[in-house]
């Protein structure tokens, strides 16, 4: 029973920061690439960030590069997404995903395990 549980979302003003967490269970966490995706109402799911097994490789969407940081703590089976300088355009449901591949992927089709998502709302 693979389970991914996101937390840390909320409603904030533009310019604020949030840190999302994704706690994983039921898998050998250290051997999974982890990713964050987001989906706004009426929009397609969008890649945000991904991180390799040991955290040495990270990918970011251009829209969040320089503002968001993905990290992982393999001892705690947890992946994080630190979001700084939040903009209204960042408003979405943020989901954590896992895939047992070696190279991080930006495609949601490569991830076979998903959390339920956590809502992030950024207002002006």
């Amino acid at each position: 029973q693979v389970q991914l549980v996101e937390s840390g979302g909320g409603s904030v003003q533009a310019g604020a920061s949030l840190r999302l967490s994704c706690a994983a269970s039921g898998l050998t966490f250290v051997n999974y690439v982890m990713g964050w995706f987001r989906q706004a109402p009426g929009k397609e799911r969008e890649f945000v960030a991904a991180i390799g097994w040991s955290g040495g490789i990270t990918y970011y969407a251009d829209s969040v590069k320089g503002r968001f940081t993905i990290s992982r703590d393999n001892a705690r089976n947890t992946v994080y997404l630190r979001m700084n300088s939040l903009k209204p355009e960042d408003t979405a449901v943020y989901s954590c995903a896992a895939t047992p591949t070696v190279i991080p992927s930006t495609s949601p089709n490569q991830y076979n395990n998903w959390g339920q998502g956590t809502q992030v709302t950024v207002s002006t």
Side-chain angles (χ1 to χ4, degrees):
Q1 301 177 230
V2 175
Q3 188 173 40
L4 306 176
V5 180
E6 302 95 334
S7 61
S11 298
V12 299
Q13 296 286 328
S17 298
L18 285 172
R19 188 180 74 161
L20 306 183
S21 298
C22 173
S25 61
L27 76 172
T28 305
F29 184 75
V30 70
N31 294 136
Y32 277 74
V33 164
M34 302 298 297
W36 286 98
F37 295 81
R38 66 187 184 186
Q39 187 168 26
K43 304 292 185 179
E44 295 183 352
R45 178 166 284 166
E46 177 187 27
F47 168 77
V48 177
I51 189 167
W53 292 3
S54 64
I57 300 174
T58 56
Y59 295 163
Y60 295 95
D62 288 341
S63 59
V64 307
K65 197 172 300 180
R67 298 189 298 122
F68 291 11
T69 302
I70 188 171
S71 61
R72 67 192 295 163
D73 187 341
N74 288 341
R76 289 182 160 82
N77 284 11
T78 302
V79 63
Y80 304 95
L81 184 68
R82 187 182 69 195
M83 305 183 295
N84 294 329
S85 302
L86 283 163
K87 305 174 180 179
E89 309 93 270
D90 296 318
T91 295
V93 174
Y94 284 71
S95 298
C96 175
T99 179
T101 62
V102 175
I103 302 175
S105 175
T106 63
S107 173
N109 295 330
Q110 295 300 115
Y111 294 82
N112 57 324
N113 296 291
W114 292 83
Q116 82 289 344
T118 185
Q119 177 71 46
V120 172
T121 302
V122 185
S123 60
T124 58

